[in-house]
Amino acid sequence: MLRNWKMSRLLSVAVMMLVQSITTSVCASSKKGDVNNDGAVTMSDANMVIDQFLSGNTGAVDDVYDVNGDGAVNMSDANMIVNIFLSQIVYVPVDLGLSVKWATCNVGASDPWECGDYFAWGETEKKERFTYNWETYKWSEGDYHNLTKYVPTSYYDGIVDNKSSLDPEDDAAIVNMGDGWRMPTEGEVEELITKCTWTWYKYRNTKYGGKQGYEVTGTNGNSIFLPAGGYSDRGTERNQGTEGAYWTSSLVTSSSNNAYSYLDARLLSFTSSYIYNSRETRFIGACVRGVYTK
């Protein structure tokens, strides 16, 4: 089949106009439409479908080119990829004058003041509301005595692996945000707490969507907003709007004579009156704010 240059030209113009309309935002992207399997949905994927369609090689409809699953490879598949590409909201790294850059919003959020998705520590997919408990936790067999990964002590029945921080495949920021992003360490959260200025915003404020939380301003004057998203714990959504709970990639490794503390992971906690590096049982659903390594 000969290439229809008019069709290609019209599509190129349309794509350019759409791309120019993209605005900076902050949300996770879908991997549907990743034709070239490079981990991202881009215009390269749409171009591959267009080339396949124009070449006439559309017989193998059960492959990645049939994006919309209608049994044919045509321009509808390319259009779907373009729409996926344009709907992706880009995570923006903000330099606060610290050792790492911080994202403008939470994983799964579409605005800085939205809570986004909640994750158990070491899990990379959100779960249904009210289902954060030991029974549903990925790295246990029904209860805290039977951990299957991140086991720092023989007090439990799991095999001790001495892992004190998340592997990349278990990091919600790496998996959901893409290259260069990851969850902060305990030390990076401490740096955010001690080296930045924290300003509490109340309900109905006009700057951050009327949501409560902290504006965190770095030494260079740049800032991010951390909404008070609360957390999900055994059937209850707790303290949303009054407390912040953000996972780090760090596991608690010292028990202070309390073996149950080994079940905890580190997280950033705050209310309107305190901000501190805290710890919480790893199955709860908490927010994730990614960091970008300079």
Side-chain angles (χ1 to χ4, degrees):
M1 180 184 293
L2 294 176
R3 181 180 296 272
N4 186 325
W5 69 269
K6 289 185 177 179
M7 179 189 297
S8 299
R9 176 59 179 167
L10 288 172
L11 180 65
S12 297
V13 172
V15 168
M16 288 177 64
M17 292 176 65
L18 286 170
V19 170
Q20 289 172 356
S21 71
I22 297 175
T23 57
T24 299
S25 188
V26 278
C27 168
S29 64
S30 170
K31 292 300 187 296
K32 183 178 182 180
D34 181 17
V35 178
N36 60 13
N37 197 32
D38 66 354
V41 181
T42 67
M43 293 311 302
S44 295
D45 299 299
N47 289 334
M48 288 181 68
V49 172
I50 294 168
D51 288 340
Q52 186 79 355
F53 170 65
L54 295 176
S55 70
N57 298 323
T58 59
V61 297
D62 59 341
D63 60 19
V64 294
Y65 295 103
D66 181 20
V67 181
N68 61 12
D70 65 354
V73 179
N74 50 44
M75 295 306 296
S76 295
D77 299 297
N79 288 335
M80 177 170 282
I81 293 176
V82 171
N83 288 332
I84 292 172
F85 169 66
L86 294 174
S87 68
Q88 295 179 127
I89 309 175
V90 180
Y91 289 103
V92 178
V94 179
D95 186 355
L96 299 174
L98 307 176
S99 61
V100 293
K101 296 181 180 180
W102 287 76
T104 48
C105 79
N106 295 346
V107 173
S110 57
D111 285 301
W113 48 85
E114 291 184 355
C115 301
D117 296 330
Y118 294 82
F119 300 89
W121 189 84
E123 295 184 4
T124 59
E125 296 182 1
K126 65 178 182 179
K127 295 189 285 196
E128 293 295 325
R129 297 171 64 192
F130 313 127
T131 60
Y132 291 86
N133 51 50
W134 283 122
E135 288 72 24
T136 64
Y137 183 55
K138 181 177 181 179
W139 303 116
S140 74
E141 295 180 346
D143 60 56
Y144 61 83
H145 282 292
N146 294 282
L147 299 176
T148 59
K149 192 175 184 181
Y150 304 107
V151 184
T153 173
S154 58
Y155 175 83
Y156 306 108
D157 296 333
I159 298 175
V160 176
D161 56 20
N162 293 314
K163 289 181 178 290
S164 59
S165 61
L166 290 172
D167 289 334
E169 62 269 23
D170 302 325
D171 186 312
I174 292 176
V175 173
N176 290 280
M177 298 177 72
D179 292 342
W181 294 100
R182 59 175 173 80
M183 289 166 63
T185 65
E186 177 185 359
E188 287 160 352
V189 163
E190 187 65 26
E191 180 184 48
L192 186 74
I193 294 172
T194 59
K195 294 185 178 181
C196 294
T197 301
W198 291 63
T199 305
W200 179 257
Y201 277 76
K202 297 181 179 180
Y203 279 126
R204 299 188 180 91
N205 70 79
T206 59
K207 188 173 183 178
Y208 294 113
K211 301 299 178 65
Q212 293 203 139
Y214 275 104
E215 181 182 72
V216 185
T217 305
T219 56
N220 57 8
N222 295 334
S223 63
I224 59 173
F225 182 73
L226 296 174
Y231 59 96
S232 183
D233 178 12
R234 288 170 288 198
T236 304
E237 289 189 351
R238 302 179 184 274
N239 304 331
Q240 192 171 66
T242 61
E243 180 178 348
Y246 289 79
W247 285 126
T248 75
S249 61
S250 305
L251 188 67
V252 173
T253 56
S254 60
S255 68
S256 301
N257 296 321
N258 179 4
Y260 288 100
S261 295
Y262 284 118
L263 300 172
D264 295 346
R266 294 289 183 183
L267 80 169
L268 165 65
S269 293
F270 61 76
T271 67
S272 60
S273 57
Y274 68 80
I275 307 157
Y276 68 104
N277 216 326
S278 183
R279 63 202 302 171
E280 188 54 77
T281 307
R282 63 180 85 173
F283 70 71
I284 72 163
C287 297
V288 171
R289 179 64 64 96
V291 297
Y292 194 90
T293 303
K294 294 182 179 180

